[in-house]
Amino acid sequence: MPITNEQATWFADAFGKLVDNVDLAIVGKKHQIRLVLTAMLSEGHVLLEDVPGTGKTVLAKALANTLDGTHSRIQFTPDLLPSDVTGVTIYDQGKGGFEFHPGPIFASVVLADEINRASPKTQSALLEVMEEGVVTIDGVGHSVGRPFMVIATQNPVEQAGTYKLPEAQLDRFLIKTSLGYPDFETSVALMLDSANRARASSITPIITSESIVTMAGLAADVFVDPTIMEYIIQLVVATRSDKDVALGVSMRGALGMARAVRTWAIASGRSYVTPDDVRDLAVPVLAHRVIIDAESDFAGVKAEDVIERVLLDIAPPAYRAA
């Protein structure tokens, strides 16, 4: 059922308050905060890739503290086992049976810090739960509940002792973004407040888990004209045939874009999606799913360049409102 303009206005107001609350901890990065919140309300996951010391962990913690739900932090290391993430079944002598002990993945917001430092076996333990919201232990499925989002961080430098994320796992992340260094004014403000070493811990909850689920339901009902869906598919298909690409965007990526643009639109107070919503999200939703071939990669071609190129090559559809 299509949403009303009043519902869109309420959503946008609530979304803005969430952004402002998180911004108290990670100052000057409202665009990135909007992207992360868009992923949460689209029931997706986020990969934050940036150099050390730019606030990746602070952002994840601030978002978790904004939500009046559960949150956990997993520090990924080479010796981390899959059971350290998902949990384990242990025999209880008193009860005479096996009992499941859930791992830290059972939380509303899960911070997977330096995910590329864990072994591929441990990384793969996240695949099922990120896609289906279920952990299967000894043949028994355990739901992690709603809302549920994984915020993973990784550094593009210091690659010694790291394991590259496989394409199948990268594809599970709805959005990939980076924070970058703050601008001059923000840097000075942070220096003046340098005595505050726990900015994220001072963030207090302003929304319940139930309200997040309600907002996600509203976002899923935002109107999308069929021409917008055709536009998304045209962009996706174009990445697959690009001269510099070894592997283009998957159908999972296209479906993820369809969810994300709905949330992006209603967060702007609209009950319908426009082509500009697709263009705004094309790089953060699609670029990390594009694999550049070896020769082009050596020549310095980036996945972001490919997405920008297909956006220029393919004309957006004529604007239509609901």
Side-chain angles (χ1 to χ4, degrees):
M1 178 179 179
I3 65 170
T4 64
N5 290 332
E6 290 75 17
Q7 288 174 315
T9 300
W10 172 84
F11 187 107
D13 180 65
F15 191 92
K17 290 178 180 177
L18 291 172
V19 171
D20 290 341
N21 199 58
V22 178
D23 188 57
L24 295 174
I26 185 76
V27 182
K29 299 296 179 181
K30 285 195 174 183
H31 178 69
Q32 289 84 351
I33 296 171
R34 288 177 63 86
L35 287 174
V36 174
L37 285 169
T38 295
M40 167 175 273
L41 295 169
S42 304
E43 300 190 322
H45 310 285
V46 175
L47 178 62
L48 298 176
E49 182 179 74
D50 217 330
V51 296
T54 52
K56 300 184 297 295
T57 303
V58 173
L59 172 57
K61 286 183 176 179
L63 178 62
N65 290 340
T66 294
L67 172 65
D68 188 18
T70 57
H71 60 272
S72 62
R73 178 178 181 271
I74 309 171
Q75 181 63 55
F76 279 68
T77 56
D79 60 348
L80 191 74
L81 299 175
S83 58
D84 294 329
V85 175
T86 60
V88 65
T89 300
I90 299 176
Y91 184 76
D92 189 323
Q93 290 185 334
K95 296 180 179 179
F98 287 92
E99 187 175 74
F100 176 64
H101 292 253
I105 199 66
F106 287 84
S108 302
V109 178
V110 179
L111 171 58
D113 218 356
E114 295 187 288
I115 189 173
N116 56 331
R117 293 202 176 277
S119 68
K121 183 177 182 179
T122 300
Q123 291 179 13
S124 67
L126 289 172
L127 292 180
E128 179 190 23
V129 65
M130 288 176 65
E131 184 72 16
E132 302 175 14
V134 173
V135 172
T136 302
I137 304 293
D138 296 332
V140 179
H142 304 273
S143 174
V144 295
R146 296 176 65 200
F148 171 69
M149 181 171 70
V150 173
I151 302 178
T153 72
Q154 67 174 7
N155 299 326
V157 295
E158 298 181 25
Q159 295 302 307
T162 65
Y163 302 86
K164 184 179 179 181
L165 295 182
E167 289 75 13
Q169 185 159 348
L170 280 173
D171 208 24
R172 258 69 173 190
F173 289 101
L174 176 61
I175 284 175
K176 177 184 175 184
T177 188
S178 61
L179 296 176
Y181 294 115
D183 58 32
F184 182 80
E185 290 76 12
T186 302
S187 298
V188 172
L190 290 171
M191 292 292 287
L192 293 173
D193 192 37
S194 59
N196 183 3
R197 303 186 62 182
R199 301 179 67 89
S201 300
S202 63
I203 301 298
T204 56
I206 63 170
I207 193 168
T208 63
S209 299
E210 293 75 16
S211 295
I212 288 291
V213 174
T214 299
M215 291 178 72
L218 281 176
D221 287 335
V222 170
F223 173 78
V224 186
D225 191 271
T227 59
I228 301 291
M229 293 301 191
E230 293 172 3
Y231 181 47
I232 293 173
I233 292 300
Q234 287 175 331
L235 294 174
V236 166
V237 171
T239 66
R240 300 171 186 168
S241 58
D242 189 273
K243 61 183 178 63
D244 293 317
V245 172
L247 182 66
V249 178
S250 68
M251 195 62 205
R252 182 187 287 118
L255 292 169
M257 175 66 90
R259 297 197 311 272
V261 292
R262 287 183 167 98
T263 305
W264 194 255
I266 192 173
S268 300
R270 285 181 279 105
S271 59
Y272 54 89
V273 175
T274 70
D276 284 341
D277 296 320
V278 178
R279 299 175 71 85
D280 287 345
L281 293 179
V283 170
V285 173
L286 302 180
H288 64 284
R289 307 172 195 271
V290 172
I291 307 301
I292 303 299
D293 69 33
E295 185 175 340
S296 297
D297 184 50
F298 183 76
V301 177
K302 303 296 182 184
E304 293 81 1
D305 300 331
V306 173
I307 300 300
E308 296 290 354
R309 187 160 63 224
V310 299
L311 286 173
L312 289 174
D313 291 344
I314 299 175
Y319 173 79
R320 282 190 187 181

